[in-house]
Structures are given as structure tokens and as C-alpha cells.
Amino acid sequence: MNKSDYEEGSKLNLARHKALYQHAIDNPQAFWSDAAQSISWNKPWEKVLDSSQAPLYSWFEGAELNTCYNAVDRHVEQGRGEQIAIQYVSPVTEAEYGITYKELQSQVSRLAGYMDSIGVKKGDRVIIYMPMVPETAYAMLACARIGAIHSVVFGGFAANELASRIDDAKPKVILSASCGIEPSGVVPYKPLLDEALVQSSHKVENCLILNRSQYSAELTLGRDIDWQLAMKSAPFIECQSVAATDPLYILYTSGTTGQPKGVVRDNGGHAVALAWSMKHIYNIGPGDAFWAASDVGWVVGHSYIVYGPLLVGATTLMFEGKPIGTPDPGIFWRTIEKYQVRSFFTAPTAIRAIKRDDPDGDFLRDVELSCLNTLFLAGERCDPDTLKWAEEQLKKPVIDHWWQTETGWPVAANLMGSAPVAVKPGSPALAVPGYQVEVLDEMGESIEANASGNVVIKQPLPPGTLTTLWNNEQRYRDSYLTMYPGYYLTGDAGYMDEDGYLYIMSRIDDIINVAGHRLSTGRFEEVLCQHEAVAEVAVIGVEDKLKGQLPLGLVVLKKGVTLSDEQLYGELKSLIREQIGPVASFRLVSMIQKLPKTRSGKVLRGTMRKIADNQSYKMPATIEDPQTLELVRNTLTRMGYADALV
């Protein structure tokens, strides 16, 4: 799809989108009953929406199904067993191969059979601590096949973080691998797993270990079994029917401190919502190639590497590598061309990294991308400059959309499969049908168009969203439902314009108060990224005796920039003064080589803010490179906003 073709008819589609949205609000039972026809059910529902336990709601009460059957077996039964289900691409190991739906069915049913043979039953928990390899998807689907509840923990998490999740989920078995592969080299997982099992109070009797050729793990006698050896004798097992309201998985939110916060996803609503989103948002159907460049350890990997594409019979790409350095900034584009990807989904931070290393798009010159319809961005706020750069380079629609681990699928998005509307840079477009999004002030009153406030979603949330927190319903209520009764608190701040377009500017905690003026750090970053020398930027609020807080900008420059610090400093201050105004009091800015981020690409603004204000902080378990925090501390110390590194 060309950008010009997409923009035609957007006004008509705006009305179409709003009609769908209103239908989902006025009659959610009819809307979601119709959407559920795309799923195969073993037993029909008695109620589409059960509100008897409000503010806790459930979808498709009384129904039964199996998620693995819907994602795998039914496609084989429908004659598409030879279609590629998972295309594995691993630049870091120079391995590429496809797994057909028939092969996937065989692998998954054997693994499910093995777990059943060691006593894993419906409702038991299984922790999956693995890298980006097809066996990780097999593990998730095998759990779904027998009704076990999987909890994927990002491979390479520190032992104490893994131990806390073991104690919270109390798994019957752990599925792991000898190692993961990063651009920097091999990352052994097995020693981390062994240490976590020593630290945890919950004892796990069985661990299934996938030994990779890059690193051979020593197995613990009596507890560990080799994956390949177990599969040789494992029996096949059929799909087990489970209740639509039964948990499918637990996913712990990144950066958890103290007691883990496990988001619970059900089976029925999850399948319905993801299948709907694949068609209406991502414009993907049977046989199409879809690629979400994320990790299975994050919610994007759950929803749009494994479950979403497979539920609609698409081919999903599983990629073990990075946007740059494995081997160069052109790897994404060559992969899209080679496997004829129709829709591509990645994080803005990945595009910024490519833009930083290849600002003129040289690595795109010899790549033919006629197969690609749309680039989707999510995971963090996308600044308009990054979106515009991607549009100019790709000549394709670039669609920012917004959602959370808790929601499991997009809250605000452009419906590229049914009603594509005009793009407004900086906005993830309109609320998706099923989500009644509003912006409220601190007193719970609605805010007028273009005024900032707290972004909330009126209950009930649509299917596929979190149903509770694992073993902690009270924390679920306190964290999300208490501040605004009748609403779910997203934790994000932003505004809606007169057309209903949503703008997510920052987390609620990232609103800074400059002499009584509430300003969004996201707005500062949006302006600073407009400068041609800036690759990416993070703005945090730091304490100030006179004004309460001041904005401080940490800026990463594009490669080859020759401007002096003094010239760049003056130009950045002028940009803020022109577009935000003198009220911003923007005078603190420093260049930095690299921003500290989680492995999923989120900038650690909260941690940086604590460093600047000399508050204690815990090294986030999800941090990609711990050295980046030391660089930030050194920079802030030179500026007088942090104690010297001890």
C-alpha cells in the first residue's frame, strides 16, 4: 500500500471507525459475539459478558475451547498443514528454517505429552525461561494444549528476579535452555536457573533443558532432563477442553520490585480479541507473513509473535537478532523482502537506532519492499520525527499504536484492515472498538479537547485484557480500579483532540511541575527530536529549589554530527522556547552516548530521575546494558544533579 493510496478515503473511514466503536459500546454482547465466530468452540457460552462480580468482569462465561487447537490443529485439519507456521531467522547464529503447521502440531503435541507424563495437569503452572527459538513457542502452545498456565520469564533475567517469579507462580516444571545469544556473545542461562532454584523457597522437581550448540549446560542429575532426549520417547497428546475463563498465562510486568505483579490472561477472550485485531488492525489473514520484531518474553511476543498470527493461520517470523549490529542497519529490510512480510511491527527505539546508524537510508537502496503494506510501531511513545523519517524512507504508512502488558492488545490504533484513517504524527489514532477511553482530571471530571489529564478506560474492559493479578486480587483493585471508580487507570497521561485522536505524552509520574505549570516530558522530547542532529532524547524532571522541578534533557546525537556543544545547546534551547515557551525553563541539557533502556526498548526515565535526585534505586532486572546507568550518573554528577559514583 502506498502512502497516497492510504490517505484517500480517510474521512469516510473515520466515520466507519467511529460507527464500529459506538456499536461496541452500545451493544458489546452483539459486537463480541460476532467477533467470536472466528474461533472454534467446544461448548458455546451462556453469557457473552458476565458483570455479576463487577468491577471484576468475565467474557464468554460457560464456554469451552482450546487455544492450541485454534492456533495449530484446526489449520492442519483445514488443509493447510504444509504452510509455514513459524519462520525462524537467527542472524546471530546464521540459522534460518521454516516450521510447517503440521510440524508444529507434532512438536507441540509431543512436548505436551511429555509434560503430561511427568504429572503436569490443567491449572498447573509452567515457567518458560528461554531465548528466541521455536522451542519457546512450542512450550507456550504445549501448555495451552493441556490447560497448564505458562509464565514466560525473559531469558537472561537475573537469578533473584527469576526466583521471585518461581515463588509467586509455584511451577510444576521449568522449561529452559542452555543459553541465549546476544550480539556481544553467548549468555549462559543454566547457571542463572540453577542459582534461582537455590534462592527460591518453592522447590521444582523437573527442569527440561534445551542444549544449544553454542553452549552445553551441565544437567543436574535427578532434576534436569535433556529436551531432545525427552522428545524421542514423548507420547502425542490431544488438546484438552478448558473454560473460556480459565487462565492461559501469567506475565510478570517488567521492572517489578518486591512482590511480583503477574498479569493474568484468560483463554476465550484472549483468542477472540487477538483474532479480531489481526484482521482489523494489522490486516493479516491466512497465509500472510507477519513479523513482530520483539521477544517472546514481552507481551508483544505473546500476542503477536505466537498467538495472534497463528490464531488466524498466518506465517509468523521469529527473529533472534537486533535492528543494528547483526550485522548492520539493513537486516530488518532484507528480512522483510526475503520472507515477503505484509505487516511489520517493531518499537520506535528500533527505528531510532536504524536512523542513527543509517540516517540517509543507504541500506534501503537495494531492497524491494513492495510486499510490505504497513509498518506498525508500539512499546513506547513514538515522536513525530521518527515516524516521519520512517514514512519518507519506506514510502509506506507508518502506524503508531498504543497498548500495555495489562491490555494484551491495542487500546488505540488505526484499523488498517477495515477503516484506515489519516495519520496524525504523535498520535496512536483513535480508541479501538471495545475500549471506551477518556481523559480525566485529578477529581475524576472529563477534560476538554486538547487539555492534558490522566488517560483511563471505562469498564468493562473488552475481551483479552487482564482479568486480575495472580494470587493478588486486592493489588489488582488497588493498582487499577480504585483511583477512578468505574474506570481502569492506565497510568499514562495525555489528551484527545477534537477528532477523538488520542495523544499519549508520558507516564503519570513523568509529568513535571515547573513553577506550578504541569508539563509533559513527552512534549519536550517531541520538540527536541525535531533537531536534525538528534537521534533520540530522554527528558526527566529534576528537583529545583526555586521552581520545584526543571526539565533536564539527555540527548544522543546521530553519527557524524559536527556541531559544537555550544551551538547545539543554543539551538535546542531555542526550539523549546519557540514551541513550548519560556514557561518551560529549559536550560539543562547534556549529550550522552547511549540512553539506559530495558531489553524491550523502554527508556528508564524513572531510574534516571532517582539518580538525579540522589534517591535510592534498584538496578532494573530488564536493563539492556547496566553500564548506561553509570554513564548517566557521571553525566548528572558533572551537572551537579547526582552524587559522585561510589
Side-chain angles (χ1 to χ4, degrees), residues 25 107 124 151 247 394 540 549 599 646:
I25 290 175
Q107 293 281 355
D124 286 340
S151 183
L394 295 173
I540 59 174
Q549 283 184 302
R599 292 187 179 103
V646 178

Side-chain angles (χ1 to χ4, degrees), residues 318-516:
M318 180 174 272
F319 181 85
E320 188 180 32
K322 300 291 183 182
I324 57 173
T326 59
D328 55 51
I331 184 61
F332 275 9
W333 317 132
R334 295 193 300 274
T335 301
I336 290 169
E337 178 188 34
K338 184 172 183 177
Y339 293 106
Q340 294 294 288
V341 173
R342 178 181 172 91
S343 289
F344 176 50
F345 178 171
T346 191
T349 192
I351 301 301
R352 283 194 287 265
I354 295 170
K355 174 187 169 189
R356 183 187 64 215
D357 283 17
D358 185 27
D360 297 324
D362 293 335
F363 282 89
L364 266 165
R365 299 286 180 260
D366 298 323
V367 181
E368 210 289 305
L369 294 181
S370 60
C371 61
L372 182 66
N373 272 14
T374 315
L375 167 63
F376 290 90
L377 300 174
E380 57 176 325
R381 186 174 177 276
C382 181
D383 59 280
D385 186 67
T386 296
L387 186 141
K388 289 176 182 176
W389 181 88
E391 281 184 339
E392 290 168 0
Q393 296 298 327
L394 295 173
K395 305 296 189 292
K396 306 284 183 179
V398 179
I399 304 301
D400 184 18
H401 61 320
W402 168 69
W403 48 296
Q404 304 176 318
T405 297
E406 290 87 346
T407 67
W409 64 288
V411 177
N414 214 318
L415 302 185
M416 298 304 290
S418 55
V421 297
V423 169
K424 293 188 180 184
S427 171
L430 306 161
V432 170
Y435 291 99
Q436 192 168 346
V437 178
E438 298 182 24
V439 181
L440 305 180
D441 63 18
E442 293 180 354
M443 301 303 294
E445 298 296 326
S446 294
I447 291 179
E448 62 185 9
N450 298 304
S452 295
N454 294 336
V455 179
V456 299
I457 306 170
K458 191 171 183 180
Q459 289 190 286
L461 297 182
T465 53
L466 81 167
T467 57
T468 188
L469 295 177
W470 181 253
N471 281 338
N472 205 334
E473 182 183 301
Q474 190 57 49
R475 188 179 183 188
Y476 168 58
R477 291 173 181 264
D478 293 343
S479 298
Y480 303 104
L481 309 180
T482 301
M483 184 171 177
Y484 297 110
Y487 291 89
Y488 163 86
L489 179 69
T490 69
D492 283 315
Y495 65 92
M496 280 186 177
D497 70 11
E498 56 281 349
D499 294 324
Y501 279 65
L502 182 66
Y503 292 77
I504 301 295
M505 301 308 295
S506 62
R507 296 294 291 172
I508 289 172
D509 291 341
D510 288 331
I511 296 292
I512 60 176
N513 195 318
V514 182

Side-chain angles (χ1 to χ4, degrees), residues 16-148:
R16 189 175 296 158
H17 182 123
K18 290 186 174 181
L20 275 172
Y21 175 81
Q22 198 61 44
H23 176 42
I25 290 175
D26 293 342
N27 198 339
Q29 289 86 354
F31 185 93
W32 292 111
S33 178
D34 181 60
Q37 303 309 311
S38 65
I39 297 301
S40 295
W41 302 87
N42 299 333
K43 181 182 175 183
W45 51 86
E46 296 166 6
K47 287 183 180 179
V48 176
L49 172 63
D50 184 358
S51 57
S52 61
Q53 302 298 315
L56 304 180
Y57 296 85
S58 60
W59 291 91
F60 306 107
E61 190 73 33
E64 292 185 5
L65 76 162
N66 184 276
T67 298
C68 180
Y69 174 83
N70 276 278
V72 181
D73 298 70
R74 66 170 174 164
H75 304 308
V76 177
E77 293 174 5
Q78 291 168 2
R80 286 186 289 109
E82 300 308 315
Q83 178 196 314
I84 298 297
I86 299 174
Q87 178 61 53
Y88 178 57
V89 181
S90 176
V92 294
T93 62
E94 299 182 345
E96 296 186 24
Y97 56 86
I99 299 106
T100 66
Y101 271 99
K102 192 171 183 180
E103 291 167 338
L104 181 60
Q105 182 186 41
S106 175
Q107 293 281 355
V108 170
S109 60
R110 279 183 184 275
L111 182 53
Y114 165 74
M115 288 195 289
D116 179 75
S117 72
I118 61 170
V120 179
K121 303 300 180 186
K122 183 167 71 172
D124 286 340
R125 276 77 62 208
V126 175
I127 278 185
I128 301 169
Y129 182 65
M130 296 183 69
M132 280 292 289
V133 291
E135 286 82 359
T136 307
Y138 302 165
M140 296 166 69
L141 292 162
C143 290
R145 193 173 191 85
I146 58 176

Side-chain angles (χ1 to χ4, degrees), residues 261-306:
K261 188 177 179 181
V263 168
V264 177
R265 199 85 65 213
D266 67 4
N267 273 270
H270 172 261
V272 171
L274 289 191
W276 190 93
S277 72
M278 290 304 299
K279 175 183 178 182
H280 292 275
I281 296 174
Y282 301 108
N283 196 20
I284 292 293
D288 290 334
F290 180 80
W291 180 17
S294 182
D295 191 283
V296 176
W298 311 127
V299 69
V300 173
H302 281 58
S303 296
Y304 296 115
I305 295 176
V306 180

